[in-house]
């Protein structure tokens, strides 16, 4: 791995800081000189965040679960339970009726699929709801839960001539409980020093066609919370409405990863990833394995779920990449464990070497197939490894293996999008040993553009006569008798998978291609990571990397390079923090818009990246 080329102290320091990585999103303009800029999102298009999405579980212990408020929520008969990073927090009601009924309310358009365990237990397109109601929580009192954008809102409805003094609850898992004297909010201290805030309640009655406010506040006694109310008409219904503020992330109490994203022609957003959290959807979603795969389709504003789907076997499963065709059908790449659930698979048995899986979903979220591909797919900072053309053809790149020698090599296949069957494969022979495919893009001429890492130390990556860089960086610097370190590369294939262009892209250190995009003129934009001090640069935002003065290596920095169809270098730049030689910046993906602007994404442990017009 490239990481092995780094000094150990640099590597550990950078990795620890990268655990709390800063988001990086830069736009490299096609006009020179380059400029970093951030497109502004019109106010009317800004997302309010996912609403609370209620899902039936089929589990009597927790009949409903939810996600979308920041943490998974399990709705149990005794009360809702949240899994936080520091532990579980549960709301438990004092004196509640033992026969309370939980009912879903306000059916949503979105659906959820669940493929875990035996096929007889799989469920597809389960309905989702906006709310769940604890019917008869106390005699004459119902409690409705819904939420939006990091809030879990509980609304009590008190029937006429019923005393609200029956409402009282405690927080199991809380370390402290207090009322903020300035705001009246209820402050819930949890393990690790975090504090959740339940906003001061509001209350009202609807009388003679108008809403009449009722004074309301929290009170605490012996660890139990309840309400203190002002004057109201006991002969009329009463509504009390507190809101618990949570985070706004999508996930559960552990580490959850979004690894791929796509957008269709209608603007709908598709996300794939995987999750460690046992409570990602508010219930026990994890199998006996380490991680499971999650696929989501969101509305164009990102404020509602169109469909969701999760699955896993008894070992580690990871969702790597996603693309979508003109019909809104999504194709997903998975790096699976031993028994990832398959469906309608043309290749249903794991091959001897390589076990990448391709999945397909309809526009409405129906799971159409899951099949082995016959080659492996890595999750190590994976770029977009799947692409679909305007004609519907599907292409996938990654790594496969030479069975006899057990050596990894470049893989590129064309797949029948209707069935998942491989139609044709690039035959690398043994010319691309230790070369991986990290990303593939389709150009305006229907040719395929691929990047990744060429790692053969003998420099046997076969470049073409018109290559921008015919030799690896170490051979260029020290002579052809030197061994190579890993370098990025760029290759162009005809639609029938014949090599038309192949070039190294790198210096004398270790460099890796992660993402590739092609503009309307056939220019290729390649992004990735570099440890080479002498990575080729031109018209650069940052022409030199912050490097170790003894080892003469960059720590681990990003790069973005634009090549013309005639193999000329248009621009090439490092993306890093100039004054932080130990900081690490990972550049993983790139897309290009109709104007030729390249949008680059990744993450960084750097404290001072060069930013402009930043959010």
């Amino acid at each position: 791995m490239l990481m092995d080329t780094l000094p150990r102290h640099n590597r550990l320091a950078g990795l620890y800081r990268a655990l709390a990585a800063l988001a990086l999103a830069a736009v490299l303009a096609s006009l020179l000189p380059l400029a970093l800029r951030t497109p502004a999102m019109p106010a009317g298009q800004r997302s309010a965040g996912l609403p609370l999405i209620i899902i039936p579980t089929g589990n009597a212990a927790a009949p409903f679960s939810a996600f979308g408020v920041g943490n998974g929520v399990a709705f149990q008969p005794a009360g809702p339970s949240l899994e936080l990073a520091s532990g579980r927090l549960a709301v438990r009601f004092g004196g509640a009726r033992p026969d309370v009924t939980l009912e879903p309310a306000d059916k949503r358009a979105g659906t959820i699929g669940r493929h875990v365990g035996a096929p007889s237990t799989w469920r597809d397109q389960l309905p989702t709801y906006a709310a769940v109601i604890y019917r008869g929580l106390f005699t004459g009192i119902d409690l409705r839960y819904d939420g939006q954008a990091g809030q879990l809102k509980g609304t009590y409805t008190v029937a006429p001539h019923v005393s609200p003094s029956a409402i009282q609850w405690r927080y199991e898992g809380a370390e402290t409980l207090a009322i903020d004297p300035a705001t009246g909010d209820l402050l819930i201290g949890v393990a690790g020093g975090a504090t959740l805030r339940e906003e001061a309640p509001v209350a009202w009655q609807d009388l003679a066609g108008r809403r009449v406010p009722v004074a309301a506040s929290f009170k605490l006694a012996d660890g139990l919370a309840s309400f203190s109310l002002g004057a109201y008409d006991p002969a009329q219904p009463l509504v009390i409405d507190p809101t618990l503020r949570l985070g706004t992330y999508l996930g559960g109490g552990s580490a959850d990863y979004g690894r791929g994203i796509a957008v269709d022609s209608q603007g709908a957003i598709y996300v794939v990833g995987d999750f460690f959290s046992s409570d990602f959807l508010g219930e026990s979603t994890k199998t006996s394995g380490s991680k499971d795969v999650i696929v989501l389709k969101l509305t164009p504003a990102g404020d509602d779920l169109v469909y969701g789907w999760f699955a896993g076997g008894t070992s580690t499963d990871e969702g790597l990449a996603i693309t979508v065709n003109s019909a809104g059908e999504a194709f997903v790449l998975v790096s699976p464990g031993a028994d990832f659930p398959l469906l309608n698979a043309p290749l249903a048995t794991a091959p001897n070497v390589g076990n990448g899986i391709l999945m397909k979903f309809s526009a409405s979220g129906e799971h159409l197939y899951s099949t082995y591909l016959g080659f492996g797919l890595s999750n190590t900072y994976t770029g977009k490894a799947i692409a679909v053309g305007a004609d519907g053809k599907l292409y996938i790149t990654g790594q496969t293996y030479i069975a006899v020698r057990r050596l990894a090599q470049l893989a590129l296949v064309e797949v029948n999008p209707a069935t998942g069957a491989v139609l044709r494969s690039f035959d690398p022979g043994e010319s691309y040993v230790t070369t991986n495919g990290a990303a593939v893009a389709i150009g305006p001429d229907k040719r395929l553009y691929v990047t990744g890492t060429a790692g053969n130390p003998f420099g046997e990556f076969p470049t073409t006569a018109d290559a921008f860089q015919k030799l690896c960086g170490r051979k260029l610097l020290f002579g052809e008798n030197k061994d190579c370190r890993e370098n990025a590369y760029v290759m162009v294939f005809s639609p029938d998978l014949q090599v038309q262009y192949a070039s190294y892209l790198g210096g004398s250190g270790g460099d890796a291609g992660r993402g590739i995009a092609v503009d309307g003129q056939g220019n290729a934009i390649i992004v990735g990571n570099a440890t080479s001090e002498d990575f080729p640069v031109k018209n650069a935002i940052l022409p030199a990397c912050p490097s170790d003065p003894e080892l003469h290596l960059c720590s681990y920095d990003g790069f973005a390079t634009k090549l013309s169809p005639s193999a000329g270098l248009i621009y090439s730049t490092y993306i890093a923090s100039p004054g932080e030689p130990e900081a690490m910046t990972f550049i993983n993906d790139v897309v290009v818009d109709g104007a030729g602007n390249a949008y680059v994404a990744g993450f960084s442990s750097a404290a001072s990246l060069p930013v402009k017009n930043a959010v």
Side-chain angles (χ1 to χ4, degrees):
M1 291 176 60
L2 278 178
M3 200 67 70
D4 295 332
T5 66
L6 301 178
R8 185 174 184 273
H9 68 280
N10 281 12
R11 186 162 69 244
L12 292 178
L15 284 174
Y16 283 131
R17 283 186 290 164
L19 292 176
L22 304 172
L24 168 67
V27 180
L28 297 178
S30 60
L31 301 177
L32 302 178
L34 299 178
L36 285 172
R37 55 192 177 91
T38 306
M41 181 182 290
Q45 296 180 16
R46 290 176 186 156
S47 170
L50 279 176
L52 187 71
I53 297 168
I54 306 293
I55 308 159
T57 67
N59 177 8
F64 298 95
S65 64
F67 74 104
V69 295
N71 298 83
V73 183
F75 292 101
Q76 303 160 327
S81 180
L82 295 86
E83 189 77 19
L84 307 175
S86 56
R88 183 172 289 271
L89 181 70
V91 179
R92 294 296 180 253
F93 299 101
R97 295 176 60 203
D99 58 346
V100 62
T101 300
L102 273 66
E103 300 176 0
D106 300 340
K107 190 174 183 298
R108 309 188 68 88
T111 62
I112 285 285
R114 178 189 294 115
H115 284 207
V116 174
S120 61
T121 67
W122 295 356
R123 296 291 181 268
D124 281 299
Q125 296 185 296
L126 290 168
T128 63
Y129 301 88
V132 62
I133 298 173
Y134 284 72
R135 188 72 69 190
L137 178 63
F138 303 95
T139 300
I141 301 174
D142 296 337
L143 172 58
R144 171 190 168 108
Y145 278 108
D146 55 23
Q148 179 79 33
Q151 302 176 1
L152 179 61
K153 187 170 72 169
T155 301
Y156 295 89
T157 301
V158 183
H161 305 295
V162 173
S163 173
S165 62
I167 303 171
Q168 53 183 356
W169 67 97
R170 67 184 184 279
Y171 295 97
E172 289 185 354
E175 295 190 343
T176 61
L177 194 61
I179 296 174
D180 186 332
T183 63
D185 295 349
L186 194 59
L187 305 179
I188 308 152
V190 297
T195 300
L196 300 184
R197 182 179 291 268
E198 187 151 12
E199 295 179 350
V202 294
W204 68 86
Q205 291 183 296
D206 292 322
L207 304 176
R210 65 188 184 93
R211 180 156 291 183
V212 178
V214 175
S217 60
F218 289 119
K219 62 180 180 180
L220 296 175
D222 300 324
L224 285 172
S226 60
F227 298 114
S228 178
L229 298 169
Y232 68 96
D233 183 352
Q236 300 297 324
L238 172 70
V239 177
I240 310 171
D241 200 22
T243 298
L244 179 63
R245 284 203 169 273
L246 302 166
T248 56
Y249 297 102
L250 178 61
S254 187
D256 308 303
Y257 298 88
R259 299 191 189 274
I261 190 167
V263 179
D264 67 19
S265 59
Q266 306 302 310
I269 303 162
Y270 300 74
V271 180
V272 67
D274 41 78
F275 58 98
F276 279 104
S277 298
S278 61
D279 61 309
F280 189 91
L281 301 178
E283 59 161 332
S284 182
T285 51
K286 191 175 72 173
T287 67
S288 57
S290 172
K291 287 191 290 185
D292 288 341
V293 174
I294 184 81
V295 179
L296 300 173
K297 179 181 179 179
L298 308 176
T299 57
D303 58 0
D304 204 356
L305 179 74
V306 179
Y307 66 76
W309 185 92
F310 73 93
T314 56
S315 53
T316 298
D317 306 299
E318 295 164 323
L320 302 181
I322 190 167
T323 191
V324 60
N325 65 16
S326 59
E329 296 170 326
F331 300 88
V332 175
L333 289 183
V334 171
S335 180
D339 55 357
F340 189 85
L342 302 180
L343 179 69
N344 301 326
L347 184 57
T349 303
N352 291 330
V353 288
N355 62 351
I357 279 178
L358 172 67
M359 302 170 57
K360 181 181 180 180
F361 296 88
S362 72
S364 62
E366 181 184 0
H367 180 203
L368 299 177
Y369 62 71
S370 297
T371 180
Y372 285 110
L373 286 167
F375 61 91
L377 294 163
S378 168
N379 74 332
T380 307
Y381 309 115
T382 302
K384 191 182 296 294
I386 183 170
V388 61
D391 57 2
K393 289 185 177 180
L394 191 66
Y395 298 92
I396 299 170
T397 190
Q399 263 189 331
T400 187
Y401 301 89
I402 302 173
V404 176
R405 296 173 60 193
R406 305 288 291 181
L407 291 174
Q409 61 181 354
L410 174 65
L412 177 65
V413 295
E414 179 188 342
V415 174
N416 183 339
T419 66
V422 174
L423 297 177
R424 71 178 104 198
S425 302
F426 166 60
D427 182 7
E430 295 193 12
S431 300
Y432 298 87
V433 170
T434 68
T435 299
N436 69 57
V440 56
I442 302 174
D445 54 4
K446 298 185 180 180
R447 294 196 299 172
L448 308 178
Y449 293 70
V450 176
T451 191
T453 305
N456 191 325
F458 303 106
E460 294 176 354
F461 177 82
T463 57
T464 53
D466 58 345
F468 161 73
Q469 182 179 328
K470 293 182 175 64
L471 300 174
C472 71
R474 279 178 60 82
K475 289 183 182 295
L476 286 177
L477 183 63
F478 298 113
E480 294 193 31
N481 62 330
K482 282 291 184 180
D483 290 346
C484 293
R485 287 181 177 169
E486 293 176 321
N487 270 183
Y489 71 85
V490 58
M491 295 181 69
V492 181
F493 295 82
S494 63
D496 60 353
L497 306 189
Q498 300 301 308
V499 177
Q500 297 187 336
Y501 176 84
S503 174
Y504 278 108
L505 178 62
S508 56
D511 312 308
R514 304 292 188 201
I516 192 166
V518 187
D519 66 18
Q521 286 70 50
N523 301 307
I525 300 94
I526 306 99
V527 300
N529 291 99
T531 66
S532 299
E533 278 188 324
D534 54 346
F535 190 89
V537 295
K538 182 179 180 180
N539 298 316
I541 297 171
L542 185 65
C545 69
S547 63
D548 186 299
E550 297 179 1
L551 297 174
H552 300 288
L553 291 172
C554 311
S555 173
Y556 203 71
D557 296 323
F559 73 81
T561 299
K562 186 174 183 178
L563 289 171
S564 75
S566 58
L569 195 64
I570 298 175
Y571 65 68
S572 188
T573 183
Y574 288 100
I575 302 175
S577 175
E580 297 179 84
E582 292 192 2
M584 304 174 76
T585 299
F586 297 85
I587 302 300
N588 295 338
D589 208 356
V590 58
V591 294
V592 63
D593 65 18
N597 298 310
Y599 297 76
V600 172
F603 60 96
S604 178
S605 66
S608 57
L609 285 172
V611 296
K612 183 176 181 180
N613 300 326
V615 177

